[in-house]
Amino acid sequence: MEQVHIKVTEDNKRERVDKIISTEHEDTSRSQVQQWIKENRVKVNGESVKANYKCQDGDEIVIDIPEPVELEVVPEEMPLDIVYEDEDLLVVNKPRGMVVHPAPGHLTGTLVNGLMAHCKDLSGINGVLRPGIVHRIDKDTSGLLVVAKNDSAHKHLGAQMKAKTTTRKYETIVHGVIPHNKGTIDAPIGRDKHDRQKMTVTDTNSKDAVTHFNVLERFSRYTFVECILETGRTHQIRVHMNYIDFPVAGDPKYGPKKTLPIDGQALHAKTLGFVHPRTEENMEFTSELPDDMQKLLDELRRN
């Protein structure tokens, strides 16, 4: 059993205890926290409380998190766009709309389900729900990601991600006309304390996040941009572009609801580069924009 300690600060005093826990422990839903409270797994200053308890500055919250229940992930035959494959890894071009790995309540139709049917040898470092997954891209983002077939490859590739030596370039269409040709957004990202389904630029419980961008083409009300990730935070490009007031088109979570006609955000992981974990060869892969995003660009050019 894992035990988590949270110290209430001036920033989050007078907030409900269930909200503070779900914000701080970002992988846990508020309904799950409320269930833990009912099971007396949550104590504030050593005492059981109700979910609506308003915390005070200096309160000590302790959560006894139960061991996760292992869920069976079933292999599913599905078409996969595999760009490269060898005994250690494979590179997949994920379509927009596909979830990368299963989660409770969403155990089928994911990339992992398809990978398990395609090959039996995936690394086990990330556990039963995320075998082989070294890094993720959002459900409604298309493009390249690398999958490890064994633990050695997984550790090697993960170390490269941590050391920021991999190449990850995205192409996106954003609202507004960016006046300068290139720039760098260096702004820490953490969970939005008002909406735990969103990330935001914040100094509270955040991690460093750096995105470099180059303008590829300008239109009357939109800009076609290349974004280069130096770090890989959740929703990083979407949050950073919104932070500088040029939100990604097709992304109502971080931008305007009235947007370009595309199913999901106009964001594509176009280029992926890394050192092969066995041969130490520098490898780089690129993928073409999906058809709907390319059609949007063509239409913007005509107009």
Side-chain angles (χ1 to χ4, degrees):
M1 180 183 296
E2 179 188 2
Q3 194 172 77
V4 172
H5 296 254
I6 299 173
K7 177 91 167 183
V8 178
T9 66
E10 182 75 22
D11 290 335
N12 52 16
K13 69 178 183 181
R14 291 192 291 276
E15 286 189 358
R16 288 171 54 121
V17 65
D18 57 345
K19 182 178 180 182
I20 289 176
I21 295 171
S22 62
T23 301
E24 298 285 328
H25 200 262
E26 61 185 46
D27 292 329
T28 306
S29 68
R30 196 157 169 181
S31 60
Q32 178 63 77
V33 172
Q34 290 167 353
Q35 183 61 38
W36 289 344
I37 291 171
K38 288 179 183 177
E39 295 169 356
N40 289 320
R41 295 184 181 275
V42 175
K43 298 284 194 301
V44 178
N45 303 326
E47 301 290 335
S48 296
V49 294
K50 293 184 178 180
N52 63 356
Y53 170 77
K54 298 291 183 66
C55 290
Q56 303 301 313
D57 187 9
D59 277 354
E60 296 276 357
I61 304 172
V62 178
I63 313 110
D64 290 323
I65 299 177
E67 293 294 329
V69 177
E70 288 208 348
L71 302 171
E72 183 182 3
V73 181
V74 180
E76 293 178 55
E77 294 288 345
M78 64 178 69
L80 296 175
D81 184 3
I82 296 174
V83 177
Y84 174 84
E85 182 174 11
D86 62 25
E87 62 182 323
D88 295 301
L89 58 88
L90 48 83
V91 177
V92 184
N93 188 26
K94 186 190 81 68
R96 187 185 304 111
M98 177 183 276
V99 175
V100 170
H101 62 77
H106 194 124
L107 294 177
T108 60
T110 74
L111 177 63
V112 162
N113 295 104
L115 288 170
M116 291 178 67
H118 173 76
C119 60
K120 308 305 178 187
D121 47 350
L122 293 172
S123 79
I125 286 178
N126 272 336
V128 67
L129 293 182
R130 292 190 287 170
I133 300 302
V134 180
H135 64 117
R136 293 175 287 175
I137 54 179
D138 298 336
K139 171 190 172 185
D140 289 324
T141 298
S142 58
L144 299 173
L145 72 163
V146 62
V147 178
K149 286 189 170 184
N150 53 66
D151 288 356
S152 176
H154 199 138
K155 289 176 183 176
H156 197 292
L157 292 165
Q160 292 181 56
M161 296 279 179
K162 187 174 182 180
K164 306 176 186 176
T165 58
T166 57
T167 299
R168 283 177 291 171
K169 297 180 181 179
Y170 288 67
E171 289 185 352
T172 182
I173 303 170
V174 301
H175 286 269
V177 183
I178 300 176
H180 33 287
N181 292 331
K182 61 183 179 179
T184 294
I185 308 164
D186 185 349
I189 290 176
R191 187 70 57 177
D192 189 326
K193 68 178 182 179
H194 301 295
D195 182 354
R196 71 170 309 278
Q197 300 300 318
K198 295 175 67 173
M199 308 301 288
T200 189
V201 170
T202 176
D203 290 324
T204 304
N205 299 314
S206 58
K207 295 181 179 179
D208 292 343
V210 180
T211 305
H212 309 282
F213 68 87
N214 299 302
V215 169
L216 301 176
E217 201 168 348
R218 293 182 179 89
F219 308 103
S220 60
R221 292 185 295 125
Y222 297 91
T223 308
F224 184 35
V225 184
E226 175 190 63
C227 290
I228 303 168
L229 291 183
E230 186 173 314
T231 55
R233 308 304 175 207
T234 301
H235 302 172
Q236 179 171 317
I237 292 173
R238 299 161 63 192
V239 172
H240 270 174
M241 295 311 293
N242 181 53
Y243 178 65
I244 63 169
D245 296 325
F246 297 101
V248 172
D251 183 12
K253 182 184 286 287
Y254 293 105
K257 287 185 170 28
K258 187 175 181 181
T259 185
L260 293 173
I262 188 170
D263 187 14
Q265 55 256 14
L267 180 60
H268 179 69
K270 184 177 178 65
T271 303
L272 176 64
F274 52 85
V275 174
H276 193 282
R278 186 184 299 268
T279 67
E280 298 189 352
E281 174 189 359
N282 286 311
M283 309 187 79
E284 188 166 285
F285 304 91
T286 60
S287 65
E288 296 302 315
L289 291 176
D291 289 344
D292 57 354
M293 194 168 162
Q294 185 61 55
K295 286 177 182 176
L296 279 181
L297 276 176
D298 294 342
E299 185 66 25
L300 289 169
R301 286 166 183 150
R302 281 194 294 271
N303 292 336

